[in-house]
DNA sequence: TATTGTTATACTCTATAACTATA
DNA sequence: TATAGTTATAGAGTATAACAATA
């Protein structure tokens, strides 16, 4: 049994820890969706919409990594609750633009307030670690 | 308009960046599930099982944050493919223990090999940043 | 011809409630 | 009585294929 073969590199260890961190967010996501009257997929859809800029159905399907026929149903659900509206695009009448209603934006903001809550484990880091974490992630993703 | 009110703290920025990082993993998860012949929920279920230690259905339901009636269906699917087996527990005959078959473990390993792949953005970090990231996450989660 | 979105279809996911077997 | 798991049921998610409208 070669123990060296099973030794993870630092970044592999980091990735595994991040996996745990995000998996632990699952119950929170399920709960907040229910709290605002949405299913998790509907929550993700509303999350991807832009309150300031109408989004074509097509773009939402791409953002959700799913088929456009699926988006039809998700948007039907959101529209039935008055959270989004379909609007025709002026320059291309094939396209339906998704507009977040004021009520939809209210739900969206309440949902985001929970989703964006920093997990306790990260909040308990020292100020130096918190800044270092941000800096490293900005170098990687920024 | 008070711009200070919208300024994120370092850890809030970090959390937002992590959210992006994980959302970007979605297509990969959907693809690897299809590649090994599973749906995403089935993949998560197989992921949570322990190849060395049989897991009660109940524990799997808790790990997946879902109802136990749902686990029945997921395990039915995995069992139909010969990836897991239900076994009775000796000390308590109400409990069904889930055993990963050799074939199930093969699928599981192939799936993990993809899931555990470190995203390119993190791989491109310098060695110092990679170690620092691991160290910080270990302090937070370890 | 190609693209956007919808519909028809089939299957899976999911929770609730009622049930069986066991403790 | 309480717990582990299943079944029945209903509704939502999902992709594929076929379609209409538009480009």
């Amino acid at each position: 049994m070669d123990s060296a073969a099973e030794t993870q590199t630092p970044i592999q260890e980091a990735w595994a820890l991040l996996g745990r961190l995000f998996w632990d967010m699952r119950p929170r996501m399920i709960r907040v969706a229910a709290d605002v009257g949405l299913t998790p997929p509907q929550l993700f859809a509303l999350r991807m919409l832009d309150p300031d800029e109408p989004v074509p159905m097509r773009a939402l399907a791409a953002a959700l990594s799913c088929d456009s026929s699926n988006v039809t149903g998700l948007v039907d659900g959101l529209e039935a609750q008055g959270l989004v509206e379909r609007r025709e695009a002026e320059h291309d009448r094939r396209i339906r633009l998704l507009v977040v209603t004021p009520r939809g934006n209210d739900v969206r903001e309440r949902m985001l307030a929970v989703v964006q809550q920093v997990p306790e484990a990260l909040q308990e880091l020292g100020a130096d670690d918190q800044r270092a974490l941000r800096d490293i992630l900005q170098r990687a993703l920024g």
Side-chain angles (χ1 to χ4, degrees), chain A:
Chain A
M1 196 78 80
D2 183 2
S3 88
E6 299 192 1
T7 300
Q8 289 185 321
T9 64
I11 196 61
Q12 284 174 334
E13 290 183 46
W15 183 235
L17 290 166
L18 288 174
R20 248 180 56 202
L21 180 62
F22 261 80
W23 185 261
D24 291 347
M25 291 299 108
R26 243 177 95 91
R28 178 196 281 188
M29 298 299 283
I30 293 170
R31 200 174 332 114
V32 64
D35 285 347
V36 299
L38 299 176
T39 62
Q42 287 172 341
L43 179 143
F44 293 137
L46 185 55
R47 169 94 174 73
M48 300 313 292
L49 295 181
D50 188 332
D52 304 317
E53 187 73 18
V55 172
M57 308 264 306
R58 186 87 186 154
L60 180 56
L64 295 174
S65 306
C66 73
D67 192 83
S68 60
S69 64
N70 190 15
V71 172
T72 296
L74 294 176
V75 171
D76 283 349
L78 295 174
E79 201 171 29
Q81 295 195 48
L83 307 181
V84 308
E85 286 174 8
R86 287 168 162 99
R87 178 192 300 170
E88 281 193 1
E90 298 150 355
H91 58 297
D92 185 341
R93 281 162 51 203
R94 293 174 300 183
I95 296 174
R96 298 300 182 96
L97 296 173
L98 299 172
V99 181
V100 182
T101 66
R103 189 171 159 209
N105 201 41
D106 181 65
V107 168
R108 190 167 178 278
E109 293 292 346
R110 277 191 288 147
M111 170 267 277
L112 284 178
V114 178
V115 170
Q116 293 173 347
Q117 265 174 33
V118 179
E120 208 173 332
L122 296 184
Q123 263 174 356
E124 285 170 353
L125 282 169
D128 289 352
D129 276 347
Q130 293 189 350
R131 275 191 300 271
L133 181 59
R134 175 202 57 187
D135 292 343
I136 292 170
L137 292 171
Q138 272 182 344
R139 281 193 284 277
L141 310 164

